[in-house]
Amino acid sequence: MNSKEETTPFHSGFVALVGRPNVGKSTLMNAVLGEKISIVSSHAQTTRTKITGVWNGDHCQAVFLDTPGMHKPQSKLGEVIRQATVDALDEVDVIVFLCACDDPLGAGDRYILKLIEGKHVPVFLVLSKIDLISKEKLMKKIVQYSQLYPFKEIIPLSAVTGDNLDDFTKMIARYLPEGPKYFPDDMVTDQPERNIVQEIVREKLLLRTRDEVPHAIGVFAEEFSERENGKVYIRCTILVERDSQKRIIIGKNGSLLKEAGREAREEIQRLIGAPVYLDLWVKVTRDWKNKDYVLRELGYKEHK
C-alpha cells in the first residue's frame, strides 16, 4: 500500500523549444522522443506550425512544443508562424532556447531573448551541434551567452551524436512542476495522421529543391481513405506560387515528383502500418501565403 510507486508525486509540464531557424529544434525533439515527429531539412522555416511531442520519464511527462524558427515575417503565413512561437511562450512551464554552436550570435537571438524576458518560468540555454566545434570555442560561446541572460541551466549537446542528450532530459525532469499525465504512455504526438502525412510529403520536396522553391511549397491532404483492398488512398495537392516552380517540382518527365512521392509513400506506410497509394498533384495558386482561406485549409490558421 505504501510503496514508493504510490507515494512519489508525478511531475508534468509543457516545454517550448525556441530559437532561430535551422538551430536544430526539430532534430533535438526527434532525438529525445526516439521517433521522427518533426520534419527536418537544411532550409529555414522547415517547421511552420507548433509540433507536439510527448516524452515520458520516471514519474514525469514532458510535452515538447517544437516551434517555428523566429524570423521577420514576409507574408501572412510568416506572421502566423511568428505568432505561433510568441503564443507558445505563454503556454509552457519551461522554455528551452536553442543556439547552434556553428552560428555566430545574431540579432535574431537577441530578439528572442527580448521576448523571453519577463516570463516567469525557467529558461534553459541549449548549445546544439557541439560536434561541429572545439571545446575551446564552446567555452567562449557559453561565456558569451551567459552575459546576455540569467539562464537557469546551460547545456551543450549534439542531437546527432547523442552527447549530453540524457543530461538534457534529466534536467527537464528536475524542473517540471507536479501535475497530471496529459497523454497516455504510448502516445508520442497529438498531431493528426493527416497533418503528419502533409509534412512528410513537404519534407521530401524540400530535400530536392533550392532557392525560393522550398518556401513556396504548401501541401494539403485532400483525401485520406481506406479502400476495399486494404490500401489507404491519400491524395495530396502541392501548392506553389508560379508555373516555373510547378515545373521544378514535377521535374524532367515527372522524375522529381515520382522520387519524392516514392520516399514519402514508404515513410507513410511505416507510420500507419498499411499499404498506401499516394496520389500527388501540383497546383499553382499565386500568392497563396497571403490568402486566408488557403492558410486555413493548410491548417496554419483557425477556422472561424
Side-chain angles (χ1 to χ4, degrees):
M1 287 289 290
N2 295 323
S3 68
K4 185 179 179 183
E5 191 75 29
E6 292 178 359
T7 57
T8 302
F10 195 83
H11 290 76
S12 62
F14 291 80
V15 181
L17 303 177
V18 299
R20 288 191 292 161
N22 272 358
V23 294
K25 297 182 295 297
S26 298
T27 305
L28 174 59
M29 188 166 83
N30 291 341
V32 167
L33 301 180
E35 289 195 37
K36 183 177 170 184
I37 300 301
S38 286
I39 68 172
V40 178
S41 87
S42 61
H43 298 293
Q45 290 307 313
T46 297
T47 301
R48 285 178 173 169
T49 56
K50 282 186 297 182
I51 307 295
T52 303
V54 183
W55 173 80
N56 292 290
D58 291 333
H59 305 290
C60 67
Q61 182 178 82
V63 183
F64 287 93
L65 303 179
D66 175 15
T67 65
M70 292 298 285
H71 69 304
K72 186 176 180 180
Q74 304 291 330
S75 62
K76 282 189 177 181
L77 172 62
E79 179 53 38
V80 170
I81 292 171
R82 189 197 72 83
Q83 194 58 47
T85 301
V86 173
D87 291 346
L89 299 178
D90 291 323
E91 302 170 0
V92 297
D93 303 286
V94 177
I95 295 172
V96 175
F97 176 46
L98 261 83
C99 298
C101 283
D102 59 337
D103 279 347
L105 174 64
D109 296 313
R110 297 177 193 277
Y111 172 65
I112 296 168
L113 289 173
K114 281 287 182 188
L115 291 176
I116 292 172
E117 273 182 14
K119 305 295 181 189
H120 300 294
V121 296
V123 178
F124 303 156
L125 170 67
V126 166
L127 290 167
S128 65
K129 306 183 183 181
I130 60 170
D131 49 306
L132 300 180
I133 67 166
S134 66
K135 288 186 177 180
E136 185 183 356
K137 287 182 179 177
L138 175 60
M139 290 309 298
K140 288 180 180 177
K141 285 272 183 185
I142 291 173
V143 171
Q144 185 181 30
Y145 280 95
S146 299
Q147 293 169 346
L148 292 179
Y149 192 89
F151 296 104
K152 279 283 185 184
E153 301 277 1
I154 296 176
I155 183 163
L157 58 75
S158 170
V160 173
T161 64
D163 286 351
N164 291 345
L165 208 54
D166 283 346
D167 292 340
F168 171 71
T169 52
K170 287 174 184 174
M171 181 180 73
I172 293 292
R174 285 202 303 272
Y175 284 86
L176 293 176
E178 283 192 38
K181 181 175 286 191
Y182 292 102
F183 296 100
D185 288 339
D186 59 351
M187 189 169 179
V188 182
T189 182
D190 66 348
Q191 293 293 300
E193 278 186 345
R194 183 184 292 255
N195 288 17
I196 296 175
V197 164
Q198 291 174 176
E199 289 295 272
I200 289 173
V201 171
R202 190 166 69 91
E203 177 190 50
K204 303 313 175 191
L205 295 170
L206 292 183
L207 294 172
R208 290 170 168 79
T209 53
R210 56 192 176 83
D211 299 330
E212 89 285 352
V213 178
H215 305 283
I217 297 172
V219 179
F220 177 48
E222 297 197 66
E223 188 174 342
F224 197 115
S225 58
E226 189 171 345
R227 298 289 170 87
E228 290 181 3
N229 61 5
K231 269 195 174 185
V232 177
Y233 174 76
I234 302 172
R235 178 163 55 89
C236 289
T237 297
I238 299 160
L239 294 182
V240 291
E241 296 178 305
R242 296 199 294 273
D243 292 319
S244 60
Q245 295 165 347
K246 179 177 179 178
R247 288 193 293 272
I248 292 170
I249 292 293
I250 293 172
K252 187 177 181 181
N253 299 322
S255 57
L256 192 150
L257 191 61
K258 283 178 187 173
E259 184 63 19
R262 181 189 62 77
E263 268 196 26
R265 178 176 55 80
E266 290 174 357
E267 189 164 325
I268 293 165
Q269 285 181 162
R270 291 194 295 271
L271 170 73
I272 65 179
V276 167
Y277 182 87
L278 182 61
D279 199 3
L280 301 179
W281 295 84
V282 186
K283 177 182 177 183
V284 177
T285 301
R286 304 193 188 283
D287 201 30
W288 69 261
K289 289 185 285 189
N290 284 307
K291 297 184 189 303
D292 288 336
Y293 77 93
V294 177
L295 297 182
R296 282 194 291 271
E297 287 297 326
L298 293 174
Y300 297 127
K301 296 189 83 168
E302 294 292 328
H303 290 264
K304 293 185 179 179

